[in-house]
Amino acid sequence: MPEQTQIPAPERAASAGPPARPDSAVVRDALGVGIAVGLSGFAFGVTSAGAGLTVLQTCALSLLVFTGASQFALVGALAAGGSPLTAAAGAFFLGVRNAFYGLRLSALLDLRAGVRPLAAHWVIDETTAVTLPQSDRRSARLGFTVTGLSLYALWNLTTLGGALGAEALGDTAAWGLDAAGPAVFLALLAPMLTTAVERAAAGLAVLLLLVTLPVLPAGVPVLVSALAAPAVLLAQGRRARATGTAARTTDDREERR
């Protein structure tokens, strides 16, 4: 009988997955994202002040809402003349994605019950993008914490600076700073669109937005574009059922032969 080689426990554990990254590498990546995105808070502060919000209201949005795309959507709709209700609805639906991030991060981070409400405030695109690729829980927690802390601190500081400096810039619309937030969001989102379904949903959302933007009130096109995801999933389900039916029909014919 051939001799069985026993693999030591540490070696078996190491072969179960990729090795943990050094803390310095995790912190470097987290700070890179936190600083790069945090600086765009200046653009939000300027855009918000240009839309008519006070410095206090602008800073409160960053402190309490803290989800850049939703904040830009809110002040953009208000600046375009949309009603506060429509603007808030558009911002809300953009922010709903964070709830799905939370479902995934909750199991990965496994934080204590008392910490979860505070951590939930930092569940956004950037912290999710840094946390998910980590190979172990310790690195995931480190990436999440450093990204959330650096981004929250810098975003709020630059929001204040942008709101205070808006008057010095004059016509804020002429600077095009309102495009900074969506541009950062798209840069983070694009690498995540890895499947045909995800790319189809994103493409349809853009198409719906472009078609409805000239004809619907401000804020409503964002709500309409949200229909892209269920529409693509419905089409995919029908296609899968049709493919399955065709395959079963072919198998039945071959069996009869």
Side-chain angles (χ1 to χ4, degrees):
M1 184 176 182
E3 181 181 355
Q4 294 182 352
T5 304
Q6 297 294 328
I7 301 176
E11 292 184 14
R12 289 201 304 269
S15 63
R21 300 178 64 208
D23 289 352
S24 58
V26 178
V27 171
R28 182 186 64 243
D29 292 346
L31 286 176
V33 172
I35 294 173
V37 180
L39 291 174
S40 63
F42 179 81
F44 171 72
V46 172
T47 304
S48 180
L53 275 71
T54 66
V55 173
L56 181 60
Q57 290 171 330
T58 299
C59 292
L61 277 174
S62 283
L63 286 167
L64 302 177
V65 178
F66 188 54
T67 169
S70 297
Q71 293 177 228
F72 273 102
L74 177 64
V75 299
L78 292 175
S83 69
L85 182 60
T86 302
F92 171 79
F93 279 103
L94 276 177
V96 164
R97 71 189 186 280
N98 295 335
F100 296 98
Y101 295 159
L103 294 175
R104 178 68 181 90
L105 293 182
S106 176
L108 180 61
L109 298 174
D110 193 26
L111 300 173
R112 296 191 303 272
V115 179
R116 289 177 185 174
L118 298 176
H121 195 49
W122 287 355
V123 176
I124 54 176
D125 302 294
E126 293 79 11
T127 54
T128 302
V130 172
T131 303
L132 289 182
Q134 305 306 325
S135 57
D136 63 284
R137 179 163 291 157
R138 184 177 182 279
S139 297
R141 288 177 174 177
L142 180 61
F144 178 84
T145 302
V146 174
T147 306
L149 180 60
S150 60
L151 179 52
Y152 187 74
L154 190 56
W155 177 269
N156 281 282
L157 287 174
T158 55
T159 293
L160 175 61
L164 293 175
E167 293 184 1
L169 291 175
D171 184 10
T172 57
W175 291 78
L177 293 175
D178 55 331
V184 171
F185 179 72
L186 289 175
L188 289 168
L189 177 64
M192 300 180 185
L193 303 178
T194 56
T195 67
V197 173
E198 292 169 350
R199 289 190 289 268
L204 180 58
V206 171
L207 180 61
L208 289 173
L209 188 64
L210 293 176
V211 170
T212 58
L213 194 60
V215 296
L216 294 179
V220 176
V222 174
L223 303 179
V224 175
S225 66
L227 299 175
V232 170
L233 291 176
L234 180 61
Q236 183 195 25
R238 289 181 174 177
R239 181 179 179 182
R241 287 194 295 271
T243 303
T245 301
R248 287 193 299 271
T249 302
T250 302
D251 292 340
D252 290 343
R253 290 175 180 173
E254 291 180 354
E255 289 177 1
R256 292 192 190 101
R257 291 177 184 174

